[in-house]
Amino acid sequence: MSEHDNGVVRRFEHPGKGRDRARPVPKGRQVEPVAKVEIERLLGDRSRQRDLLIEHLHLVQDTYGQISAPHLAALADEMGLAFAEVFETATFYAHFDVLKDGEADLPALTVRVCDSLTCAMFGAEPLLEALRETLGSGVRVVRAPCVGLCDHAPAVEVGHNFLHKADVASVQAAVAAGDTHAHLPAYPDYDAYRAGGGYAVLDRLRSGEVSIDAVLQVLDDGGLRGLGGAGFPTGRKWRSVRGEPGPRLMAVNGDEGEPGTFKDQLYLNADPHRFLEGMLIGAHVVEAADVYIYLRDEYPISREILAREIARLPVGGPRIHLRRGAGAYICGEESSLIESLEGKRGLPRHKPPFPFQVGLFNRPTLINNVETLYWVRDLFEKGAEWWKGHGRNGRVGLRSYSVSGRVKEPGVKLAPAGLTIRELIEEYCGGISDGHSFAAYLPGGASGGILPASMDDIPLDFGTLEKYGCFIGSAAVIVLSDRDDVRGAALNLMRFFEDESCGQCTPCRSGTQKARVMMENDVWDTELLGELSQCMRDASICGLGQAASNPLTTVIKYFPDLFPSPQRIAAE
């Protein structure tokens, strides 16, 4: 409303809302002076560029053991970002402990107990409860998804120190001794790798002695495929990126988060420069001036090794950026990985365009898995026929099978592609554990489905399992025995997917939650679960939601005795 007074229009404003009324405090969360000084001092001369937000959040978390609201506000101000933007990123990732206003500080030490499938099979749940009862009030005990130590289940992380085959006594001893840091193993450093002929292929490529076409031809002839799960031909991917207009970038997917998978960690810890040489060869082929290595936060040993050895590389190559994940399984999906590298929440992008066209910072980007790059040097030095000389049952090449569960000798097994689960167990794993009988197996990790032991003659490779509703993925093989609950295994996996869903699309966000609730019932409504699974497969944005129901649907299909008919239930 307004009134005319001598030709002047005066507007009646709501009390306290007038335009000329001075605002008593600036709008939004204010930066506390103490927090501002602490963040400025913490960042020092580090760059404030947008894509370093997650790195800076790690710095705050590592320094204070948590991230307070004042520190978030100060960090947002220091980086020129909206508080909401920083808050939503920090709260997206599981490894950032963001405190709300008024919340008490967290205990100084956090103990994480892995509760993914293999660790659950070996007693993670009672161990978790026992630790909560026995450890003091100064220790926080929480659940954790797979930490990549499935062959040493159950795994417990005390601070940043990982305990293998942990029990209450070993955890108590580590806590009492303050043993909270990762321990580096012996590995061949830069000088040792060079002395063994390392970087010779890269040197020949950079000097022009070996052509780019020759490298691509070897990859094509050998049939090397992406070993992170998708299995896309490596040579074709490199050509696709090279065919896009520059400038181009390269990103390495080291976010090995699939429950049951731990092969990349082994290769990074045991022979880091073999991986780095393959990476630098790929960067040279696509003419990438910058390479970003995205490594999951659960691998502090690998991160320390890479940081040390990257610093020893001669000058003259591409700039290498080592970035930490922060506890988000979804970031193993390539577009989510790109979003995280840009300092954002790891939400999958819609495709097309594909990352090789519009990737990191909107540039054509080559994305390869750690193990794929690890084999590039060997493939070139030994030739395509060497690689093709391996394989069984009509398949070609080598596979690094991460084997855990009820076998005598779990671990990473380098074996011919295409061998069967029975051959893998008997020839490479020492057989089934004493006192157990082979009952079921996961051929491709959490999302690869579950098959009965009777289906033990299927070659384990790309393209051989899809007709059964399964896939090999990253070759994470989990073996179950007659003492394990197959329905319970499927439920464990669905809980994992529910927890790890990014929440962007409804089919995955709600579908995993609804499926989990239904699977907790004594009697499963298999028809409704089947309809829900189909919806998730058809309508989810990325592979997480599309594959999350694979364990559920395969258990229903291949273990019918676990699901009596309504008539049988009524009769009983």
Side-chain angles (χ1 to χ4, degrees):
M1 294 184 297
S2 64
E3 69 173 13
H4 294 267
D5 184 7
N6 298 325
V8 178
V9 177
R10 292 185 298 165
R11 186 172 301 277
F12 292 114
E13 301 285 356
H14 187 279
K17 299 292 184 179
R19 296 180 184 179
D20 299 327
R21 182 183 178 89
R23 190 181 297 275
V25 294
K27 184 179 181 180
R29 178 179 289 275
Q30 299 310 294
V31 178
E32 296 182 8
V34 173
K36 180 176 178 62
V37 170
E38 289 174 340
I39 291 298
E40 288 176 347
R41 188 175 299 154
L42 195 59
L43 297 188
D45 59 359
R46 293 176 175 86
S47 171
R48 272 61 168 174
Q49 64 196 55
R50 173 66 175 82
D51 59 289
L52 289 174
L53 173 58
I54 294 174
E55 291 296 302
H56 295 340
L57 287 168
H58 273 302
L59 193 59
V60 178
Q61 176 76 39
D62 292 345
T63 303
Y64 296 99
Q66 59 195 23
I67 303 177
S68 67
H71 280 150
L72 275 182
L75 181 60
D77 181 70
E78 189 68 17
M79 297 186 69
L81 300 172
F83 176 82
E85 199 172 3
V86 176
F87 179 83
E88 71 177 12
T89 300
T91 53
F92 180 85
Y93 295 94
H95 289 185
F96 296 139
D97 297 313
V98 181
L99 299 184
K100 299 177 182 178
D101 287 325
E103 278 191 322
D105 288 348
L106 296 176
L109 178 64
T110 296
V111 171
R112 291 183 168 86
V113 181
C114 177
D115 68 349
S116 289
L117 180 55
T118 308
C119 285
M121 291 164 58
F122 284 84
E125 190 66 33
L127 177 59
L128 174 72
E129 295 305 319
L131 291 175
R132 284 177 171 169
E133 293 177 2
T134 58
L135 296 181
S137 59
V139 180
R140 182 175 63 135
V141 181
V142 298
R143 298 175 182 274
C146 187
V147 297
L149 292 173
C150 312
D151 52 337
H152 298 287
V156 173
E157 184 182 5
V158 179
H160 291 296
N161 178 25
F162 292 89
L163 304 183
H164 299 180
K165 299 181 179 179
D167 56 19
V168 174
S170 63
V171 176
Q172 288 177 327
V175 171
D179 190 7
T180 60
H181 297 284
H183 304 283
L184 267 61
Y187 66 90
D189 62 9
Y190 176 78
D191 292 334
Y193 184 74
R194 270 285 188 188
Y199 290 110
V201 176
L202 178 64
D203 291 343
R204 293 171 62 197
L205 179 62
R206 287 176 171 175
S207 70
E209 180 183 347
V210 172
S211 69
I212 289 175
D213 286 340
V215 173
L216 293 172
Q217 192 62 52
V218 169
L219 296 178
D220 289 341
D221 292 344
L224 182 65
R225 302 177 68 168
L227 298 173
F232 193 84
T234 304
R236 191 191 310 174
K237 177 180 283 191
W238 289 19
R239 278 194 173 88
S240 297
V241 177
R242 185 172 168 80
E244 295 293 317
R248 309 178 195 96
L249 298 172
M250 181 177 183
V252 177
N253 189 343
D255 195 55
E256 184 181 47
E258 183 81 5
T261 310
F262 44 90
K263 61 184 178 62
D264 289 353
Q265 179 178 212
L266 172 70
Y267 290 128
L268 287 173
N269 293 356
D271 201 353
H273 284 282
R274 194 172 298 270
F275 151 70
L276 288 172
E277 183 171 9
M279 179 190 78
L280 292 171
I281 289 171
H284 183 88
V285 168
V286 302
E287 300 174 354
D290 290 89
V291 180
Y292 293 78
I293 303 175
Y294 188 91
L295 187 65
R296 69 184 309 220
D297 197 33
E298 290 86 348
Y299 289 175
I301 293 174
S302 302
R303 184 171 66 251
E304 178 62 26
I305 290 173
L306 285 176
R308 291 185 181 190
E309 298 308 312
I310 289 171
R312 301 189 63 185
L313 293 175
V315 298
R319 291 177 293 273
I320 301 175
H321 310 266
L322 183 58
R323 298 288 177 85
R324 289 169 69 178
Y329 168 73
I330 189 63
C331 290
E333 194 276 335
E334 60 181 8
S335 67
S336 300
L337 179 145
I338 289 172
E339 289 289 298
S340 191
L341 280 172
E342 293 180 356
K344 307 171 186 175
R345 294 175 295 166
L347 301 180
R349 296 178 178 179
H350 292 275
K351 302 172 186 176
F354 296 96
F356 81 89
Q357 301 165 314
V358 181
L360 186 58
F361 306 123
N362 295 320
R363 296 180 181 178
T365 305
L366 173 63
I367 304 177
N368 277 130
N369 166 260
V370 167
E371 192 198 353
T372 306
L373 299 170
Y374 181 89
W375 290 115
V376 170
R377 173 194 166 185
D378 280 337
L379 189 61
F380 193 86
E381 287 183 339
K382 299 176 182 179
E385 293 305 316
W386 163 78
W387 184 262
K388 293 166 66 176
H390 299 281
R392 290 192 191 174
N393 301 310
R395 314 306 297 179
V396 173
L398 292 166
R399 290 289 175 273
S400 299
Y401 298 94
S402 302
V403 186
S404 64
R406 307 301 185 180
V407 294
K408 292 180 180 178
E409 301 170 9
V412 177
K413 310 297 179 180
L414 184 61
L419 83 175
T420 66
I421 184 63
R422 186 70 69 174
E423 293 169 333
L424 180 62
I425 292 172
E426 298 299 330
E427 297 179 31
Y428 291 87
C429 302
I432 293 292
S433 300
D434 292 336
H436 293 261
S437 297
F438 182 31
Y441 67 105
L442 284 70
S447 55
I450 304 177
L451 294 174
S454 58
M455 299 174 66
D456 63 355
D457 58 348
I458 305 171
L460 300 177
D461 196 17
F462 298 115
T464 61
L465 294 153
E466 282 76 2
K467 63 182 178 181
Y468 304 106
C470 300
F471 56 80
I472 190 171
S474 57
V477 178
I478 303 176
V479 179
L480 282 65
S481 78
D482 55 333
R483 298 188 183 183
D484 297 310
D485 178 5
V486 177
R487 285 197 353 167
L491 175 57
N492 176 283
L493 299 173
M494 188 59 71
R495 286 172 175 158
F496 170 81
F497 289 124
E498 178 190 5
D499 189 58
E500 294 294 335
S501 173
C502 74
Q504 181 179 194
C505 68
T506 302
C508 178
R509 180 184 65 250
S510 296
T512 52
Q513 187 268 338
K514 297 297 183 184
R516 187 263 305 165
V517 170
M518 295 173 65
M519 292 167 72
E520 289 176 339
N521 294 328
D522 292 336
V523 178
W524 289 9
D525 186 337
T526 55
E527 183 177 353
L528 185 57
L529 282 169
E531 293 178 6
L532 179 60
S533 299
Q534 189 64 51
C535 175
M536 292 166 63
R537 282 193 296 271
D538 291 345
S540 295
I541 291 175
C542 80
L544 190 156
Q546 294 164 9
S549 63
N550 285 345
L552 162 64
T553 55
T554 51
V555 165
I556 292 174
K557 180 176 182 180
Y558 296 115
F559 298 86
D561 291 345
L562 300 178
F563 307 99
S565 65
Q567 293 80 7
R568 176 179 160 188
I569 295 174
E572 293 178 350

